[in-house]
Amino acid sequence: MFQLLNFKDTVQFMAFRGLFRWVSLVLVVGSIAILSVNRLNWGLDFTGGTLVELGFEQPADIPAIRTVLEANNFADAVVQHFGSSRDVVIRMTPRDGIDAAKVADDLVAGLRASDVGTFELHRIDFIGPTIGAELRETGGLATLVALLCILAYVTMRFEWRLALGAVAALAHDVIITLGVFSLFKLEFDTTVLAAILAVIGYSLNDTIVVMDRIRENFRKVRKGEVEEIINISLTQTMSRTVITSLTTLLVLIALFYLGGASIHGFATALLCGVLVGTYSSIYVASTIAMGLGISREDLMPTEVEKEGADQDPMMM
């Protein structure tokens, strides 16, 4: 049974919209600035090249490994810990005229001949630069197409002001998540791209629930300002939002700590996206729709729908 909250029982979310507008602006502009300076730490899937993963018996000395690689003409190699202090991943860009397998063999041989410690070779991966460039282009295109399709769907389902608010919230979530990866120089590979697309879907689902309740309340609450109706709608969906976000976060935290290093990037992107997406569903989408002048008349049924609703179903 649909029940309305009294205004005095409603959380006044929109009263803080000015503050959170600036918070979102700072986060988005800051993320764009970080991306322009640091850029993304593209994984092997996107850059192409050779990846060597090593497991040391003792905690690996990263500076010593870099010194050995520089002495063996691998100054361009990127050396990082991978999951633990004993696991090391080395990435190298493709070299013209030199077979990737030979490059990897020479690198491993140079490390074995040095005093960096005893290690085991876990895996070697190769990917061509052409494939990596194609993955970057298709990945970016997939994200853009997803946002455009969502814009068209929400416009047809609800109203163009709500659609712009929803897409702005999704773009807000994606940009901030990418900014986090750029800030901490986390590797961005195809699993992280999949997580970004999953963030879009998660955030959209949460936003659609809020928008559906806003539309429903606009039609049911005959006496109420736009801000009041939006506050009522957000309050009514708050329990659902909190429960969904908490259960999702518990699973993601378990994946992050217990799922292994190979899905750390995936779990990190989703953790960031879920947190930011929950916030944007409350403040970004609704605030933008309100700022664009959404009103009761924009969401009322058309005359044809009203006439059909007034007819007796037994007479049809």
Side-chain angles (χ1 to χ4, degrees):
M1 192 72 176
F2 184 84
Q3 295 180 347
L4 297 177
L5 295 175
N6 295 324
F7 187 68
K8 63 180 181 180
D9 300 324
T10 304
V11 180
Q12 304 303 307
F13 290 101
M14 292 297 101
F16 303 98
R17 66 183 182 277
L19 171 63
F20 286 105
R21 183 187 299 120
W22 283 106
V23 171
S24 293
L25 183 62
V26 169
L27 289 175
V28 171
V29 172
S31 297
I32 293 174
I34 292 170
L35 285 167
S36 63
V37 174
N38 285 353
R39 301 186 182 277
L40 289 173
N41 179 23
W42 297 105
L44 185 67
D45 299 335
F46 295 106
T47 62
T50 305
L51 181 144
V52 178
E53 184 181 329
L54 308 174
F56 285 79
E57 292 184 356
Q58 302 294 329
D61 188 345
I62 297 296
I65 294 175
R66 291 195 181 109
T67 301
V68 172
L69 293 178
E70 290 176 1
N72 287 272
N73 298 321
F74 294 108
D76 60 334
V78 178
V79 185
Q80 296 173 317
H81 283 298
F82 184 69
S84 71
S85 61
R86 299 184 180 185
D87 296 320
V88 173
V89 62
I90 303 172
R91 296 189 295 117
M92 294 170 292
T93 57
R95 299 192 174 188
D96 296 334
I98 303 179
D99 183 65
K102 184 178 185 307
V103 171
D105 292 340
D106 291 343
L107 182 147
V108 173
L111 289 176
R112 291 194 187 279
S114 67
D115 57 353
V116 296
T118 305
F119 61 85
E120 293 182 357
L121 178 62
H122 287 174
R123 68 182 175 114
I124 299 178
D125 286 340
F126 310 101
I127 187 168
T130 302
I131 298 175
E134 290 177 354
L135 282 173
R136 282 201 306 270
E137 294 175 1
T138 54
L141 182 61
T143 305
L144 179 61
V145 169
L147 291 175
L148 291 176
C149 290
I150 289 167
L151 176 62
Y153 167 75
V154 179
T155 300
M156 292 184 294
R157 172 78 183 272
F158 294 98
E159 205 267 344
W160 69 268
R161 294 174 183 84
L162 291 177
L164 287 179
V167 173
L170 297 180
H172 168 276
D173 301 343
V174 171
I175 290 172
I176 293 177
T177 302
L178 293 178
V180 170
F181 270 77
S182 178
L183 176 63
F184 295 104
K185 295 187 178 298
L186 302 175
E187 185 174 342
F188 191 95
D189 54 19
T190 51
T191 60
V192 178
L193 176 60
I196 294 294
L197 295 174
V199 165
I200 292 176
Y202 178 90
S203 181
L204 176 66
N205 177 68
D206 208 21
T207 303
I208 289 295
V209 170
V210 173
M211 290 182 174
D212 194 53
R213 185 54 61 90
I214 290 174
R215 179 177 62 177
E216 188 175 359
N217 283 338
F218 264 120
R219 296 177 179 182
K220 289 181 176 290
V221 182
R222 298 302 180 182
K223 295 181 180 180
E225 299 296 329
V226 173
E227 180 177 342
E228 178 183 355
I229 293 175
I230 291 178
N231 284 330
I232 291 173
S233 303
L234 291 172
T235 303
Q236 290 174 336
T237 57
M238 179 52 57
S239 60
R240 179 262 177 202
T241 299
V242 171
I243 292 173
T244 302
S245 298
L246 285 178
T247 52
T248 305
L249 287 173
L250 288 175
V251 174
L252 293 176
I253 291 171
L255 283 176
F256 181 85
Y257 286 104
L258 304 177
S262 60
I263 63 171
H264 273 178
F266 179 84
T268 301
L270 282 176
L271 279 169
C272 181
V274 168
L275 289 172
V276 179
T278 302
Y279 154 77
S280 68
S281 297
I282 297 173
Y283 278 105
V284 177
S286 303
T287 299
I288 290 178
M290 184 175 174
L292 291 172
I294 193 73
S295 63
R296 185 191 312 278
E297 290 73 19
D298 297 321
L299 297 174
M300 291 301 290
T302 62
E303 293 300 324
V304 175
E305 291 175 342
K306 290 180 180 179
E307 293 174 0
D310 292 336
Q311 293 180 5
D312 187 351
M314 300 300 295
M315 300 296 293
M316 299 297 288

